[in-house]
Amino acid sequence: MRIGFNFTRSEVLPIANKLLNDGHINYYEILIDNFLHLDPHELLATIKCPVAFHIMRSRFLENDRESLSQMAEQIRYHAHILKPIYISDHLASFSCNGQNLSFLSEIDYRNRKVLIEKVSWWQEQIGEKLFLENFPSILDGGFEAPEFFSDLRSKVGAGLLFDISNAVCSEINCGASTESWVGEANETRHFHVGSYEPSVSDPNVMIDTHGTEISVETLNFLSELRSRLCHPETTITYERDRNVEYNSIVQDITRIRQQLTLEKSAVI
């Protein structure tokens, strides 16, 4: 198993490098949207480890195909130079009735035919298998999501970037059991884990914030997935976007490793 850290902006490079040099991680997951303006050869010279690509704002379910084709061309070029472990994207709504949303919203999985067609087209533009992240559900979409991802896998060959803490969020918010994800989790080899916190507008609703330590519930679900996570080809990216503090991050990564009974020297 390989443990990674989400590299979202240049300011976190010193901490990311220290995590790498101290042996806590062994790859970066780059938020590639923020680096497409750079020459990939410069990135290759700066980053001293393997990378994965995570796309944040392609908005491929909503954006026009000309804009998406241009973005995909840039991603393919960067991928040619940097050779990412995987390329992933968000499966979410960024707008409603033409109005941009303040926060991402879960898609309506009932529009299955249209959604699958758009995923298939975007994956073709990317030029390789695309891994899509599950959403931290608030409403009933949490019950429909696992079956939808199963359809994506069987019909167009898209993969699941399984966010373990998002699945825990869904269970807390709408009662969709984390157990419903185990089948699909066993079909992927790429994972996310991060933190969630109560929403400011409704403290009973949990939202993924990546701003604090991971929860006990997330660690427990990690344990249930141990047989899949402890595999040589598996990646698990630890996400921290706010309060990016070295000691706190190391503590969390250590807890993950201990939960999986994986010594630092065993991370390959």
Side-chain angles (χ1 to χ4, degrees), residues 195-255:
S195 63
Y196 51 82
E197 297 174 84
S199 168
V200 174
S201 58
D202 184 351
N204 294 314
V205 173
M206 297 295 161
I207 57 173
D208 61 325
T209 59
H210 311 154
T212 186
E213 289 79 14
I214 56 178
S215 69
V216 172
E217 290 81 5
T218 295
L219 287 170
N220 289 340
F221 190 31
L222 270 169
S223 234
E224 294 181 37
L225 299 172
R226 182 185 292 114
S227 61
R228 183 55 178 161
L229 291 170
C230 294
H231 185 280
E233 295 184 358
T234 294
T235 67
I236 180 166
T237 299
Y238 175 82
E239 297 185 283
R240 181 68 76 91
D241 297 330
R242 294 188 299 105
N243 303 317
V244 184
E245 301 167 355
Y246 178 81
N247 290 336
S248 176
I249 294 168
V250 169
Q251 181 179 5
D252 256 359
I253 292 174
T254 301
R255 292 165 73 207

Side-chain angles (χ1 to χ4, degrees), residues 34 58 76 79 117 176 196 243 245:
N34 289 347
S58 69
R76 290 196 306 270
E117 189 276 331
Y196 51 82
N243 303 317
E245 301 167 355

Side-chain angles (χ1 to χ4, degrees), residues 12 47 55 70 73 90 100 103 108 110 123 154 156 175 189 208 222 244:
V12 304
I47 297 172
I55 306 166
Q70 292 173 359
E73 183 178 7
H90 286 78
N100 289 332
F103 299 96
D108 185 348
R110 294 172 297 181
Q123 182 172 245
S154 62
V156 300
R189 63 179 184 272
D208 61 325
L222 270 169
V244 184

Side-chain angles (χ1 to χ4, degrees), residues 81-239:
I81 303 302
L82 293 168
K83 297 179 172 46
I85 302 166
Y86 61 84
I87 300 177
S88 59
D89 202 340
H90 286 78
L91 191 67
S93 295
F94 291 77
S95 63
C96 181
N97 297 325
Q99 298 296 314
N100 289 332
L101 298 171
S102 299
F103 299 96
L104 298 188
S105 175
E106 190 161 19
I107 62 173
D108 185 348
Y109 299 105
R110 294 172 297 181
N111 298 325
R112 192 157 299 195
K113 183 177 179 181
V114 173
L115 292 169
I116 288 176
E117 189 276 331
K118 289 186 175 183
V119 169
S120 179
W121 183 86
W122 182 230
Q123 182 172 245
E124 289 176 5
Q125 300 307 301
I126 294 298
E128 62 180 77
K129 183 171 183 173
L130 182 65
F131 291 83
L132 296 168
E133 183 178 352
N134 55 301
F135 196 83
S137 303
I138 296 175
L139 302 175
D140 289 347
F143 295 93
E144 302 167 11
E147 182 183 351
F148 178 78
F149 275 90
S150 177
D151 275 359
L152 283 181
R153 176 171 51 83
S154 62
K155 292 181 179 179
V156 300
L160 167 65
L161 175 65
F162 187 49
D163 192 308
I164 295 167
S165 40
N166 279 0
V168 174
C169 261
S170 298
E171 183 171 72
I172 294 169
N173 289 335
C174 67
S177 173
T178 54
E179 295 300 320
S180 66
W181 281 107
V182 171
E184 285 307 300
N186 284 331
E187 295 291 337
T188 191
R189 63 179 184 272
H190 301 306
F191 296 81
H192 269 184
V193 65
S195 63
Y196 51 82
E197 297 174 84
S199 168
V200 174
S201 58
D202 184 351
N204 294 314
V205 173
M206 297 295 161
I207 57 173
D208 61 325
T209 59
H210 311 154
T212 186
E213 289 79 14
I214 56 178
S215 69
V216 172
E217 290 81 5
T218 295
L219 287 170
N220 289 340
F221 190 31
L222 270 169
S223 234
E224 294 181 37
L225 299 172
R226 182 185 292 114
S227 61
R228 183 55 178 161
L229 291 170
C230 294
H231 185 280
E233 295 184 358
T234 294
T235 67
I236 180 166
T237 299
Y238 175 82
E239 297 185 283

